[in-house]
Coordinates of all heavy atoms in Angstrom, one line a residue:
T213 N 89.2 110.7 106.0 CA 88.2 109.6 106.1 C 86.8 110.2 106.5 O 86.8 111.1 107.4 CB 88.6 108.6 107.1 OG1 89.9 108.0 106.8 CG2 87.6 107.4 107.2
T214 N 85.8 109.8 105.9 CA 84.4 110.2 106.2 C 83.6 109.0 106.6 O 83.9 107.9 106.1 CB 83.7 111.0 105.1 OG1 82.5 111.5 105.6 CG2 83.5 110.1 103.9
F215 N 82.6 109.1 107.5 CA 81.9 108.0 108.0 C 80.4 108.1 107.8 O 79.9 109.2 107.6 CB 82.1 107.8 109.5 CG 83.5 107.6 109.9 CD1 84.4 108.6 110.1 CD2 84.0 106.3 110.1 CE1 85.7 108.4 110.5 CE2 85.3 106.1 110.4 CZ 86.2 107.1 110.6
N216 N 79.7 107.0 107.8 CA 78.3 106.9 107.8 C 77.9 105.6 108.5 O 78.7 104.8 108.8 CB 77.7 107.0 106.4 CG 76.3 107.8 106.4 OD1 75.5 107.5 107.2 ND2 76.2 108.6 105.4
E217 N 76.6 105.4 108.7 CA 76.1 104.2 109.2 C 75.0 103.6 108.4 O 74.2 104.4 107.8 CB 75.7 104.3 110.7 CG 74.5 105.3 110.9 CD 74.1 105.3 112.4 OE1 74.6 104.5 113.2 OE2 73.2 106.1 112.7
I218 N 74.9 102.3 108.3 CA 73.9 101.7 107.4 C 73.0 100.8 108.2 O 73.5 100.0 109.0 CB 74.6 100.9 106.3 CG1 75.4 101.8 105.4 CG2 73.5 100.1 105.5 CD1 76.2 101.0 104.4
D219 N 71.7 100.9 108.0 CA 70.7 100.0 108.6 C 70.7 98.7 107.8 O 70.2 98.8 106.6 CB 69.3 100.7 108.7 CG 68.3 99.8 109.4 OD1 68.5 98.6 109.6 OD2 67.2 100.4 109.8
M220 N 71.1 97.6 108.3 CA 71.2 96.4 107.5 C 70.0 95.5 107.6 O 70.0 94.4 107.0 CB 72.4 95.6 108.1 CG 73.8 96.3 108.0 SD 74.4 96.5 106.4 CE 74.8 94.9 105.9
T221 N 68.9 96.0 108.1 CA 67.7 95.2 108.3 C 67.2 94.6 107.0 O 67.0 93.4 106.9 CB 66.6 96.1 108.9 OG1 67.0 96.6 110.2 CG2 65.3 95.3 109.1
N222 N 67.0 95.5 106.0 CA 66.4 95.0 104.7 C 67.3 94.0 104.0 O 66.8 93.0 103.4 CB 66.1 96.2 103.8 CG 65.0 97.1 104.4 OD1 64.1 96.6 105.2 ND2 64.9 98.3 104.0
V223 N 68.6 94.3 103.9 CA 69.5 93.4 103.2 C 69.6 92.1 103.9 O 69.7 91.0 103.3 CB 70.9 94.0 102.9 CG1 71.7 94.1 104.2 CG2 71.6 93.3 101.9
F248 N 77.7 94.9 98.6 CA 78.5 96.1 98.7 C 79.3 96.4 97.4 O 79.5 97.5 97.1 CB 79.5 96.0 99.9 CG 78.8 96.4 101.2 CD1 78.2 95.5 102.0 CD2 78.9 97.7 101.6 CE1 77.6 95.9 103.2 CE2 78.3 98.1 102.8 CZ 77.7 97.2 103.6
S341 N 85.8 94.5 114.2 CA 86.1 95.9 114.2 C 84.8 96.7 114.2 O 84.0 96.5 113.3 CB 87.0 96.3 113.0 OG 87.1 97.7 112.9
L342 N 84.6 97.7 115.1 CA 83.4 98.5 115.1 C 83.6 99.7 114.2 O 82.6 100.1 113.5 CB 83.1 99.0 116.5 CG 81.9 99.8 116.7 CD1 80.6 99.0 116.3 CD2 81.8 100.3 118.1
A343 N 84.8 100.3 114.1 CA 85.1 101.4 113.2 C 86.6 101.5 113.0 O 87.3 101.1 113.8 CB 84.5 102.7 113.9
S344 N 86.9 102.1 111.8 CA 88.4 102.2 111.5 C 88.5 103.2 110.4 O 87.5 103.7 109.8 CB 88.9 100.9 111.0 OG 88.4 100.5 109.8
L356 N 86.8 101.7 100.7 CA 85.6 101.6 101.6 C 85.9 100.6 102.7 O 86.3 99.4 102.4 CB 84.4 101.1 100.8 CG 83.1 101.0 101.6 CD1 82.5 102.3 102.0 CD2 82.0 100.1 100.8
G357 N 85.7 101.0 103.9 CA 85.8 100.1 105.0 C 84.5 99.6 105.6 O 83.6 100.5 105.9
M358 N 84.2 98.3 105.6 CA 83.0 97.8 106.3 C 83.4 97.4 107.7 O 84.5 97.1 108.0 CB 82.5 96.6 105.5 CG 82.1 96.8 104.1 SD 82.0 95.3 103.0 CE 80.8 94.4 104.0
H359 N 82.4 97.3 108.6 CA 82.6 97.0 110.0 C 81.6 96.0 110.5 O 80.7 95.6 109.8 CB 82.8 98.2 110.8 CG 83.9 99.1 110.3 ND1 83.6 100.2 109.4 CD2 85.2 99.1 110.6 CE1 84.8 100.8 109.1 NE2 85.7 100.2 109.9
S360 N 81.6 95.8 111.8 CA 80.7 94.8 112.5 C 79.3 95.3 112.4 O 79.0 96.5 112.5 CB 81.1 94.6 113.9 OG 82.4 94.0 114.1
I361 N 78.4 94.3 112.3 CA 77.0 94.6 112.4 C 76.6 94.5 113.9 O 76.7 93.4 114.4 CB 76.1 93.7 111.5 CG1 76.6 93.8 110.0 CG2 74.6 94.0 111.6 CD1 76.0 92.8 109.1
V362 N 76.1 95.6 114.4 CA 75.7 95.6 115.9 C 74.3 96.1 116.1 O 73.9 97.1 115.5 CB 76.7 96.5 116.7 CG1 76.4 96.5 118.1 CG2 78.2 96.0 116.5
N363 N 73.6 95.4 116.9 CA 72.2 95.8 117.2 C 72.3 97.1 118.1 O 72.9 97.0 119.2 CB 71.4 94.7 117.9 CG 71.0 93.6 117.0 OD1 70.8 93.9 115.8 ND2 70.9 92.4 117.5
R364 N 71.7 98.2 117.6 CA 71.8 99.4 118.4 C 70.4 100.1 118.4 O 69.6 99.9 117.4 CB 72.8 100.4 117.8 CG 74.2 99.9 117.9 CD 75.2 101.0 117.8 NE 75.0 101.8 116.6 CZ 75.7 101.5 115.4 NH1 76.5 100.5 115.3 NH2 75.5 102.2 114.3
P365 N 70.1 100.9 119.4 CA 68.8 101.6 119.3 C 68.9 102.8 118.4 O 69.9 103.6 118.4 CB 68.6 102.1 120.8 CG 70.0 102.1 121.3 CD 70.8 101.0 120.7
V366 N 68.0 102.9 117.4 CA 68.0 104.0 116.5 C 66.6 104.6 116.4 O 65.6 103.9 116.7 CB 68.5 103.6 115.1 CG1 69.9 103.2 115.1 CG2 67.6 102.5 114.6
A367 N 66.5 105.8 115.9 CA 65.2 106.5 115.8 C 64.6 106.1 114.4 O 65.3 106.4 113.4 CB 65.3 108.0 115.9
V368 N 63.4 105.5 114.4 CA 62.8 105.1 113.1 C 61.3 105.7 113.1 O 60.5 105.2 114.0 CB 62.8 103.6 112.9 CG1 62.1 103.2 111.6 CG2 64.2 103.0 112.9
Q371 N 60.2 106.7 116.5 CA 60.2 105.7 117.5 C 61.6 105.1 117.6 O 62.3 105.0 116.7 CB 59.2 104.6 117.2 CG 57.7 105.1 117.0 CD 57.1 105.6 118.3 OE1 57.4 105.0 119.4 NE2 56.3 106.6 118.2
V372 N 61.9 104.7 118.9 CA 63.2 104.1 119.1 C 63.1 102.6 118.8 O 62.3 101.9 119.5 CB 63.7 104.3 120.5 CG1 65.0 103.6 120.7 CG2 63.9 105.8 120.7
E373 N 63.9 102.1 117.9 CA 63.9 100.7 117.6 C 65.3 100.1 117.7 O 66.3 100.8 117.5 CB 63.3 100.4 116.2 CG 61.8 100.8 116.1 CD 61.3 100.5 114.7 OE1 62.0 99.7 114.0 OE2 60.2 101.0 114.3
I374 N 65.4 98.8 117.9 CA 66.7 98.1 117.9 C 66.9 97.6 116.4 O 66.1 96.8 115.9 CB 66.7 97.0 118.9 CG1 66.4 97.5 120.3 CG2 68.1 96.3 118.8 CD1 67.4 98.5 120.8
R375 N 67.9 98.1 115.8 CA 68.2 97.7 114.4 C 69.7 97.2 114.3 O 70.6 97.7 115.0 CB 68.0 98.9 113.5 CG 66.6 99.4 113.4 CD 65.7 98.4 112.6 NE 64.4 98.9 112.4 CZ 63.9 99.4 111.2 NH1 64.8 99.6 110.2 NH2 62.7 99.8 111.1
P376 N 69.9 96.3 113.3 CA 71.3 95.9 113.0 C 72.0 97.0 112.2 O 71.7 97.2 111.1 CB 71.1 94.6 112.2 CG 69.8 94.7 111.6 CD 68.9 95.6 112.5
M377 N 73.0 97.6 112.8 CA 73.6 98.8 112.2 C 75.1 98.5 111.9 O 75.8 97.8 112.7 CB 73.5 100.0 113.1 CG 72.1 100.4 113.5 SD 71.0 100.8 112.2 CE 71.8 102.4 111.6
M378 N 75.6 99.1 110.8 CA 77.0 98.9 110.5 C 77.6 100.3 110.2 O 77.0 101.1 109.4 CB 77.2 98.1 109.2 CG 78.7 98.0 108.7 SD 78.9 97.3 107.1 CE 78.6 95.6 107.4
Y379 N 78.7 100.6 110.8 CA 79.4 101.8 110.4 C 80.3 101.5 109.2 O 80.9 100.5 109.1 CB 80.4 102.3 111.5 CG 79.7 102.8 112.8 CD1 79.9 102.3 114.0 CD2 78.9 103.9 112.7 CE1 79.3 102.8 115.1 CE2 78.2 104.5 113.8 CZ 78.5 103.9 115.0 OH 77.8 104.4 116.1
V380 N 80.3 102.5 108.2 CA 81.1 102.4 107.1 C 82.0 103.6 107.0 O 81.6 104.7 107.4 CB 80.3 102.2 105.8 CG1 79.7 100.8 105.7 CG2 79.2 103.3 105.6
A381 N 83.2 103.4 106.4 CA 84.1 104.5 106.3 C 84.7 104.6 104.9 O 85.0 103.5 104.3 CB 85.3 104.3 107.3
L382 N 84.8 105.8 104.4 CA 85.5 106.0 103.1 C 86.7 106.8 103.3 O 86.6 108.0 103.7 CB 84.6 106.7 102.1 CG 85.2 107.1 100.8 CD1 85.5 105.9 99.9 CD2 84.4 108.1 100.0
S394 N 82.8 112.9 98.4 CA 83.1 111.8 99.3 C 81.9 111.4 100.1 O 81.5 110.3 100.3 CB 84.3 112.1 100.2 OG 84.0 113.2 101.0
V395 N 81.2 112.5 100.6 CA 80.0 112.3 101.4 C 78.9 111.7 100.5 O 78.1 110.8 100.9 CB 79.5 113.6 102.0 CG1 78.2 113.4 102.7 CG2 80.6 114.0 103.1
G396 N 78.8 112.3 99.3 CA 77.7 111.8 98.3 C 78.0 110.3 98.0 O 77.0 109.5 97.8
F397 N 79.2 109.9 97.7 CA 79.5 108.6 97.4 C 79.1 107.6 98.5 O 78.4 106.6 98.3 CB 81.0 108.4 97.2 CG 81.5 107.0 97.0 CD1 81.6 106.5 95.7 CD2 81.9 106.2 98.1 CE1 82.0 105.2 95.5 CE2 82.3 104.9 97.9 CZ 82.4 104.4 96.6
L398 N 79.5 108.0 99.8 CA 79.1 107.1 100.9 C 77.6 107.1 101.1 O 77.1 106.0 101.5 CB 79.9 107.6 102.1 CG 80.1 106.5 103.2 CD1 80.9 105.3 102.7 CD2 81.0 107.1 104.3
K399 N 77.0 108.2 100.9 CA 75.5 108.2 101.1 C 74.8 107.4 100.0 O 73.8 106.7 100.3 CB 75.0 109.7 101.0 CG 73.6 109.9 101.3 CD 73.3 111.4 101.4 CE 71.8 111.7 101.8 NZ 70.9 111.3 100.7
T400 N 75.4 107.3 98.8 CA 74.8 106.5 97.8 C 74.9 105.0 98.1 O 74.0 104.2 98.0 CB 75.5 106.7 96.4 OG1 75.3 108.1 96.1 CG2 75.0 105.8 95.3
V401 N 76.1 104.6 98.6 CA 76.3 103.2 99.1 C 75.2 102.9 100.2 O 74.6 101.8 100.2 CB 77.7 103.0 99.6 CG1 77.9 101.6 100.2 CG2 78.7 103.2 98.5
K402 N 75.1 103.8 101.2 CA 74.1 103.6 102.3 C 72.7 103.4 101.7 O 72.0 102.4 102.1 CB 74.2 104.8 103.2 CG 73.1 104.9 104.2 CD 73.1 106.2 105.0 CE 71.9 106.4 105.8 NZ 71.8 105.5 106.9
E403 N 72.3 104.2 100.8 CA 70.9 104.2 100.3 C 70.7 102.9 99.6 O 69.6 102.3 99.7 CB 70.6 105.4 99.5 CG 70.5 106.7 100.2 CD 70.5 107.9 99.3 OE1 70.7 107.7 98.1 OE2 70.2 109.0 99.8
L404 N 71.7 102.4 98.8 CA 71.5 101.2 98.0 C 71.5 99.9 98.9 O 70.7 99.0 98.6 CB 72.6 101.1 97.0 CG 72.5 102.1 95.8 CD1 73.8 102.0 95.0 CD2 71.3 101.8 94.9
I405 N 72.3 99.9 99.9 CA 72.3 98.8 100.8 C 71.0 98.8 101.7 O 70.5 97.7 101.9 CB 73.5 98.8 101.8 CG1 74.8 98.7 101.0 CG2 73.4 97.7 102.8 CD1 75.0 97.4 100.2
E406 N 70.5 99.9 102.0 CA 69.3 100.0 102.8 C 68.0 99.7 101.9 O 67.0 99.4 102.5 CB 69.1 101.3 103.5 CG 70.1 101.5 104.6 CD 70.0 102.8 105.4 OE1 69.3 103.7 104.8 OE2 70.5 102.9 106.5
N407 N 68.2 99.7 100.6 CA 67.1 99.4 99.7 C 67.7 98.4 98.6 O 67.9 98.8 97.5 CB 66.6 100.6 99.0 CG 66.0 101.6 100.0 OD1 64.9 101.5 100.4 ND2 66.8 102.6 100.4

Side-chain angles (χ1 to χ4, degrees):
T213 305
T214 186
F215 298 88
N216 212 319
E217 62 178 354
I218 299 177
D219 184 345
M220 301 292 289
T221 301
N222 292 336
V223 73
F248 275 90
S341 173
L342 182 63
S344 68
L356 178 74
M358 300 165 55
H359 300 94
S360 295
I361 300 172
V362 179
N363 288 327
R364 296 200 304 271
V366 295
V368 180
Q371 302 293 323
V372 175
E373 297 185 12
I374 304 297
R375 294 290 185 98
M377 305 296 293
M378 175 193 287
Y379 289 122
V380 287
L382 173 70
S394 65
V395 172
F397 174 92
L398 205 53
K399 189 169 182 289
T400 299
V401 173
K402 167 185 170 67
E403 291 171 349
L404 289 171
I405 297 297
E406 290 184 344
N407 298 280

